[in-house]
């Protein structure tokens, strides 16, 4: 280049000017085309994984103009080149033969009857929006057409034409035309349909209901005859094509995933704000057939839900292996009824998750080895720092195996487990799992975190459970090691790159495989009382790990289920936040979830873990690690960490009975040689009080034989109130001040208890130890004494209504 400029400098002035003009013209020629020919706004378009249209919204300029599509059907290429530019693949952007013919015909007829423009020239005209046809515009189009051909393939040029040509009314581009006029993808059009579309850009006004139909028919049939002459199609195909009807009124485009479309729009706007060039069209991971089925299932259930003024429902289905979303219904879409607020995408909104986080806490405790699946968890009246959880049925079981507590979704055992794990750690764990909506401090949530006292989006909840399943299924591929790449939020775009955020976040193991397996098995158990009383009514052809949830005030009903192939999440409620009676997960969301699972292929259950596993003996009655005094043991699958960290059974101990085995004795009243030394399952008094009510086989400790010295052991306890309880006593319907019932328990059912309130005698109970009190507002002390002088006290406070 430098040698060229040196040579030019040495030329005479006249030749130098000629060279400069030449270089200027050449530079203009090369840079005459913008980097992007078409900048008109396009529709937001979402297709399914196979290219079927799911949703489309009109462009901001009021045109149905789909995004640029580089894939042009061969039928359209054959039709458009036969009709507009038969030498398209041979000329350099300008067809001298066609141009000469046009000049001759126009001169002969003294008017413009033929343009002679090639498809390449028409692309230039479309990009420049030249409506006037004059010599200057024609010359400009000719030059720029040659320039376009220099740096673009013929397929690229014809795709630019197909995506931007007018097809009548406010329809622009082949993709939009195929859907608006025929309701199908361009690839699915017949020869007759494609030929009808191919003649439209030349005269787009031909498509108008009731007008110009004969002209359009003639043009289409002439094109079909040209295809026969070019031996593109045979005569039989041509005859059938001519019998096909012409397009009439534009069809409404599918609206199968409006909320996913809105989600995509938000993502697109965010990308634009960050300076990223992104298309307004995506190919999603959705399965269009499943999407339609899920829409239908939700709509059919809504008819019953509306009877209870429950207006909204949402569902998402994730494919476990790929992590892709294959169905996304953010709400039951009914835009004509604004009261329903069906435009709200519930899957992207944050809601109270109810009990759906309990399996995550269960798996966390199992992973650190401090909890075993059959281990008894207290289920008794509980108060922790003013927080008083209750089970859904308001009952108590005394103690429940951890896996049964999860299966039955009991609140008190869940709170007890969170108390063991610490809510601050669980808060951090939830963030590590991928939940991004916990925007307050851990202390703001406190113990209510496990009962739905936080905000979670259904989309992220489905992502976390899907990742658990995928992580478990990939243990063989990962040779038992934790792989952060298996943990990510589900994707809805087919070609979207996986975010590295979760891979970095999950660089250390969150759960072990044994914990995940035990969690899924607990979620598969079906016999659930109370809220879950209808659980067993649901049958399925396959095993499903599932969990329901109900938020406080009956505002949200949840159901999430897992198989090795799919994760299905369903939410039911009102987007307004209005609660309704019977709006529970089991009543509303679970039936929908099972209906969705019935449409999906079945799969086998999760195989037992293959890595980092061992067996351990556990006490048959308590579920703790078996100690020396445990009478009967079971073997369970655990991780090596659990075998190391699990607690020994605290409830079995060796007791000494007389030779008849009837009474307990001590060495002070019975010779050791005459004693029977028996291992006995002994629960603390409060736990025992409730446990005995549902376990008829539970045997309380035998009484001491009269005359034997009684060892120092706890036989008396107060069930309610707990120490430092703060109690609000409501006013009765009659207007009288209400009473509060205090409850105690004693190992000896026949023992009499003497009650005192603030050092004043209040009454005596025997066998059934409950007494009603009406204390004044303020702090009080309850004292209970048994016949042997054992004493127990409780400090409590009665709240003043007027001050609260």
């Amino acid at each position: 280049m430098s040698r060229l400029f040196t040579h030019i400098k040495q030329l005479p002035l006249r030749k130098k000017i000629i060279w400069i003009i030449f270089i200027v013209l050449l530079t203009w020629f090369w840079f005459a085309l913008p980097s992007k020919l078409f900048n008109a706004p396009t529709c937001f378009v979402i297709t399914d994984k196979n290219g079927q249209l799911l949703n489309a919204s009109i462009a901001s300029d009021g045109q149905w103009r789909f995004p640029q599509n580089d894939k042009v059907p061969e039928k359209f290429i054959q039709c458009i080149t036969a009709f507009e530019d038969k030498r398209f693949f041979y000329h350099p952007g300008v067809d001298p033969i066609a141009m000469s013919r046009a000049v001759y015909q126009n001169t002969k007829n003294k008017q413009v009857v033929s343009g002679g423009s090639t498809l390449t020239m028409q692309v230039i005209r479309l990009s420049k929006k030249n409506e006037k046809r004059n010599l200057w515009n024609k010359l400009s189009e000719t030059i720029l057409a040659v320039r376009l051909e220099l740096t673009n393939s013929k397929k690229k040029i014809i795709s630019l034409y197909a995506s931007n040509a007018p097809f009548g009314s406010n329809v622009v581009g082949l993709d939009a035309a195929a859907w608006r006029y025929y309701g199908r993808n361009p690839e699915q059009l017949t020869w007759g349909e494609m030929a009808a579309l191919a003649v439209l850009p030349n005269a787009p006004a031909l498509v108008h209901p009731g007008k110009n139909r004969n002209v359009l028919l003639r043009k289409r049939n002439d094109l079909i005859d040209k295809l026969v002459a070019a031996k593109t199609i045979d005569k039989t195909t041509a005859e059938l094509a001519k019998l096909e009807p012409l397009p009439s009124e534009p069809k409404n485009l599918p609206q199968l995933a409006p909320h996913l479309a809105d989600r995509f729009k938000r993502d697109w706007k965010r990308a634009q704000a960050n300076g990223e060039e992104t298309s307004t069209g995506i190919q999603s991971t959705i399965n269009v057939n499943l999407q339609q089925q899920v829409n239908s299932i939700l709509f059919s259930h809504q008819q019953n839900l509306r009877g209870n003024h429950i207006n909204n429902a949402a569902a998402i289905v994730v494919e476990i292996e790929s992590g892709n979303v294959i169905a996304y219904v953010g709400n039951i879409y009914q835009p004509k009824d604004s009261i329903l607020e069906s435009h709200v995408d519930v899957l992207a909104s944050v809601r109270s998750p109810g009990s759906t986080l309990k399996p995550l806490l269960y798996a966390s405790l199992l992973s650190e080895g401090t909890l075993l699946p059959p281990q008894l968890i207290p289920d008794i009246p509980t108060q922790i720092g003013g927080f008083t959880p209750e089970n859904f049925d308001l009952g108590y079981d005394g103690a429940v195996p951890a896996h049964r507590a999860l299966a039955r979704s009991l609140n008190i055992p869940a709170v007890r487990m969170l108390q063991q794990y610490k809510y601050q750690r669980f808060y951090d764990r939830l963030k590590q799992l991928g939940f991004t909506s916990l925007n307050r401090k851990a202390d703001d949530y406190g113990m209510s975190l496990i009962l739905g006292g936080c905000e979670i989006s259904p989309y992220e909840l489905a992502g976390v459970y899907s990742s658990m399943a995928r992580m478990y299924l990939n243990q063989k591929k990962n040779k038992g090691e934790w792989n952060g790449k298996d943990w990510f939020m589900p994707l809805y775009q087919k070609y979207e790159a996986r975010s590295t955020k979760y891979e970095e976040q999950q660089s250390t193991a969150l759960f072990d495989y044994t914990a995940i397996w035990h969690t899924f098995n607990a979620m598969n158990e079906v016999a659930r009382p109370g809220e879950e009383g209808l659980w067993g009514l649901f049958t399925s052809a396959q095993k499903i790990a599932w969990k329901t949830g109900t938020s406080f005030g009956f505002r949200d009903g949840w159901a999430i289920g897992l198989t090795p192939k799919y994760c299905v999440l369903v939410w039911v409620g009102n987007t307004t936040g209005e609660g309704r009676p019977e709006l529970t997960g089991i009543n509303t969301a679970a039936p929908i979830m099972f209906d969705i699972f019935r449409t999906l292929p079945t799969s086998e259950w999760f195989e037992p873990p293959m890595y980092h596993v061992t067996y351990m003996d556990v006490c048959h009655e308590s579920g703790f690690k078996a100690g020396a005094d445990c009478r009967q043991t079971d073997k369970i699958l655990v991780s090596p960490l659990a075998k190391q960290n699990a607690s020994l059974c605290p409830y079995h101990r060796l007791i000494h009975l007389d030779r008849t085995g009837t009474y307990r004795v001590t060495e002070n009243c019975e010779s050791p040689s005459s004693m029977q030394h028996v291992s006995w399952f002994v629960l603390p008094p409060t736990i025992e009080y409730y446990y005995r009510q549902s376990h008829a086989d539970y045997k309380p400790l035998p009484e001491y034989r009269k005359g034997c010295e009684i060892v120092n052991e706890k036989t008396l306890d107060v069930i309610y109130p707990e120490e430092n309880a703060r109690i609000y006593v409501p006013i009765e319907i009659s207007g009288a001040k209400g009473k509060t019932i205090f409850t105690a328990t004693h190992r000896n059912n026949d023992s009499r208890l003497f009650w005192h309130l603030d050092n004043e005698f209040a009454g005596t109970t025997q066998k059934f130890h409950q007494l009603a009190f009406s204390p004044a507002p303020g702090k009080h002390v309850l004292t209970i004494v048994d016949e042997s002088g054992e004493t127990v006290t409780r400090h409590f406070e009665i709240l003043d209504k007027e001050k609260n």
Side-chain angles (χ1 to χ4, degrees), residues 502-545:
Y502 295 105
E503 179 182 346
E504 296 167 357
Q505 202 164 280
Q506 321 312 336
S507 56
T508 56
L510 297 175
F511 304 116
D512 67 46
Y513 295 122
T514 308
I516 295 176
W517 186 68
H518 280 304
T519 300
F520 289 166
N521 279 313
M523 293 170 68
N524 177 246
E525 297 180 17
V526 295
R528 305 188 178 198
E531 178 201 10
E532 321 300 348
L534 300 177
W535 206 269
L537 298 180
F538 299 108
T539 57
S540 175
Q542 61 182 330
K543 295 178 70 174
I544 298 173

Side-chain angles (χ1 to χ4, degrees), residues 32 34 104 132 137 154 213 331 333 360 468 486 506 540 570 624 681 700 705 735 739 761 786 801:
Y104 171 77
K132 294 183 179 180
N137 285 339
K154 290 290 187 179
R213 310 295 287 169
N331 210 328
Y333 193 57
L360 304 179
M468 285 180 69
D486 290 329
Q506 321 312 336
S540 175
V570 176
F624 281 82
F681 180 52
R705 192 175 67 189
K739 294 186 176 184
F761 178 72
D786 70 2
K801 178 184 178 183

Side-chain angles (χ1 to χ4, degrees), residues 300-351:
S300 65
H301 280 271
Q302 190 201 34
Q303 308 311 305
N304 293 327
L305 296 172
R306 289 286 298 275
N308 190 22
H309 301 285
I310 301 172
N311 298 324
N312 307 104
I316 184 173
V317 182
V318 181
E319 187 179 58
I320 299 297
E321 183 178 0
S322 65
N324 291 334
V325 178
I326 57 175
Y328 186 109
V329 182
N331 210 328
I332 304 173
Y333 193 57
Q334 295 173 288
K336 294 182 180 179
D337 194 342
S338 60
I339 297 177
L340 300 181
E341 294 191 353
S342 64
H343 65 281
V344 176
D345 182 1
V346 179
L347 294 179
S349 306
V350 293
R351 310 288 303 192

